[in-house]
Amino acid sequence: MLFETLKTLCALNGTSGREDAVRNAIIEMIKDHCDELTVDNMGNIIVFKKGAKPRAQKLMLDAHMDEVGFMVTGYTDDGMLRFQNVGGIIPTVIIGRSVSVGEKGHIGVIGTKPIHLQNKEERSTVVPADKLYFDIGAENKEDAEKYVQLGDAAYFVSEYTEFGNDMVKAKAIDDRIGCAVMVELIRSDLEYDTWFSFAVQEEVGCRGAAATAFTIRPDIAVCIEGTTAGDVAGVTGDQKVCCVGQGAVVSFMDGGTIYDRPLYQYTRDLADKMGIPNQTKTRVAGGNDSGKIHTTAGGIRTVAISVPTRYIHSPSCVAKKSDMQAVYDLTKALVDNLGVE
């Protein structure tokens, strides 16, 4: 069920601040399998799942519902749409890509000046996002205004595809995989009471998780996410950060968090004990909801478990099913063992 749930969630659109479709789907998936479910003023889902036993220390699992995307900011006279990125997207992955624009999903293409009209300098530099546009086939500004409003969100168009040796390609694997892991845990029988946070707006500053951590006030938090794997041509040694196919990634430090050392080591040791493939990052890179969670409500011991993901924040994120299974297995092991004494 993990991969069916992932496929369903990746097909949905939900950039930061526009997570409604993802939130509604998750609620439908879990509403009959939890003891408390609330949606706060920001749109975060907060869930309590009663286990067979109470837990000595309160444990919260966290994953974010939003994905990187775009927001329409203006029109040109000839009917093109200007936009800004929502979250960290580099221009090199978006030129020529198909997008779904607005609530009705109008198909567009991300365009720029054709190469035949570019000068030498333009051809040798990356075109910034504010020089690109969405072409939705409108005749002029007035025509474009009929279909798309300022502030409308736009998303990559990309199908969930399994290919090669156990690989998956889709948009939004970061962090629909974390959401899928939590959905499947909520649907299962748990040994101990557990809290869950499906957070909004991680891609623009981990805003939702700051609110859920303050509301739940756990003693320990586990963040589940996708993280950058640089194991591609031309990248060697520790610059790879982590590698697809080598299991769940447990970080000791990233751009937002220096992780609780005993909790980090406990997680690595537990994975080894249970035969769950695992690795750590070989470079301090990226960040996730841990950055806000661990400094909230007097401080929360936090660990992050990640799926190594190639081409992250692009239309074609690539991850391996065995790594995603390892993340599920390790998260389940922590749910069964953390904070029980």
Side-chain angles (χ1 to χ4, degrees):
M1 285 296 292
L2 177 64
F3 301 110
E4 285 300 315
T5 301
L6 176 64
K7 181 178 180 179
T8 298
L9 294 178
C10 285
L12 300 172
N13 291 327
T15 193
S16 307
R18 303 286 191 274
E19 299 93 349
D20 306 64
V22 182
R23 178 171 52 248
N24 292 341
I26 289 172
I27 290 172
E28 284 299 311
M29 292 174 178
I30 66 175
K31 66 181 182 181
D32 296 327
H33 303 276
C34 57
D35 296 275
E36 296 178 25
L37 188 158
T38 58
V39 177
D40 69 12
N41 289 336
M42 287 190 71
N44 303 297
I45 308 172
I46 297 173
V47 174
F48 174 68
K49 169 84 172 183
K50 190 167 180 58
K53 306 172 189 175
R55 194 183 299 270
Q57 295 180 291
K58 186 182 286 189
L59 175 67
M60 179 186 82
L61 305 188
D62 169 87
H64 65 90
M65 295 183 286
D66 58 317
E67 65 191 279
V68 296
F70 311 94
M71 192 165 289
V72 176
T73 58
Y75 311 93
T76 67
D77 290 340
D78 50 1
M80 305 298 179
L81 306 177
R82 294 298 185 189
F83 65 90
Q84 289 290 322
N85 295 348
V86 179
I89 310 174
I90 58 174
T92 51
V93 306
I94 66 177
I95 295 176
R97 299 291 186 173
S98 295
V99 287
S100 171
V101 186
E103 293 185 6
K104 294 185 178 180
H106 298 289
I107 295 299
V109 174
I110 300 177
T112 187
K113 185 191 298 185
I115 190 170
H116 313 80
L117 302 181
Q118 294 176 4
N119 60 37
K120 184 177 180 180
E121 181 180 354
E122 289 172 326
R123 292 183 187 185
S124 62
T125 58
V126 176
V127 183
D130 60 4
K131 301 297 184 183
L132 302 174
Y133 53 79
F134 296 148
D135 181 351
I136 61 168
E139 293 184 0
N140 49 44
K141 178 181 178 182
E142 290 71 25
D143 191 32
E145 289 175 327
K146 297 176 185 177
Y147 302 103
V148 177
Q149 304 299 311
L150 298 184
D152 278 353
Y155 305 90
F156 291 124
V157 175
S158 178
E159 293 184 357
Y160 178 102
T161 305
E162 296 186 6
F163 71 103
N165 180 17
D166 201 31
M167 306 295 276
V168 171
K169 184 278 296 183
K171 72 174 181 66
I173 288 178
D174 175 34
D175 189 24
R176 303 291 159 72
I177 182 56
C179 293
V181 166
M182 297 204 312
V183 165
E184 293 308 310
L185 286 171
I186 292 169
R187 285 170 161 173
S188 69
D189 295 327
L190 299 183
E191 188 70 16
Y192 295 96
D193 298 351
T194 307
W195 290 83
F196 298 83
S197 157
F198 294 89
V200 300
Q201 298 191 39
E202 188 268 358
E203 299 293 1
V204 291
C206 307
R207 299 168 185 174
T212 59
F214 186 84
T215 298
I216 297 171
R217 293 175 178 260
D219 299 295
I220 304 171
V222 179
C223 286
I224 313 151
E225 57 135 14
T227 196
T228 302
D231 58 333
V232 295
V235 182
T236 59
D238 60 357
Q239 298 303 301
K240 293 181 179 181
V241 184
C242 59
C243 296
V244 169
Q246 294 187 12
V249 181
V250 186
S251 300
F252 53 83
M253 180 179 174
D254 60 32
T257 310
I258 300 174
Y259 290 91
D260 181 277
R261 185 67 182 186
L263 186 55
Y264 161 81
Q265 194 60 55
Y266 177 86
T267 303
R268 298 293 308 276
D269 291 345
L270 180 63
D272 290 341
K273 178 182 177 181
M274 299 191 69
I276 300 170
N278 69 98
Q279 58 185 308
T280 193
K281 289 183 177 180
T282 56
R283 185 178 178 185
V284 175
N288 54 62
D289 280 339
S290 301
K292 288 291 179 70
I293 291 171
H294 83 285
T295 61
T296 300
I300 297 166
R301 298 180 65 205
T302 306
V303 67
I305 306 174
S306 310
V307 173
T309 308
R310 294 176 186 154
Y311 327 122
I312 202 165
H313 289 193
S314 82
S316 300
C317 306
V318 169
K320 197 172 181 69
K321 292 174 76 173
S322 59
D323 291 334
M324 292 187 269
Q325 186 64 52
V327 167
Y328 175 87
D329 293 342
L330 183 51
T331 304
K332 178 65 164 61
L334 290 174
V335 169
D336 289 343
N337 289 277
L338 271 182
V340 301
E341 297 177 355

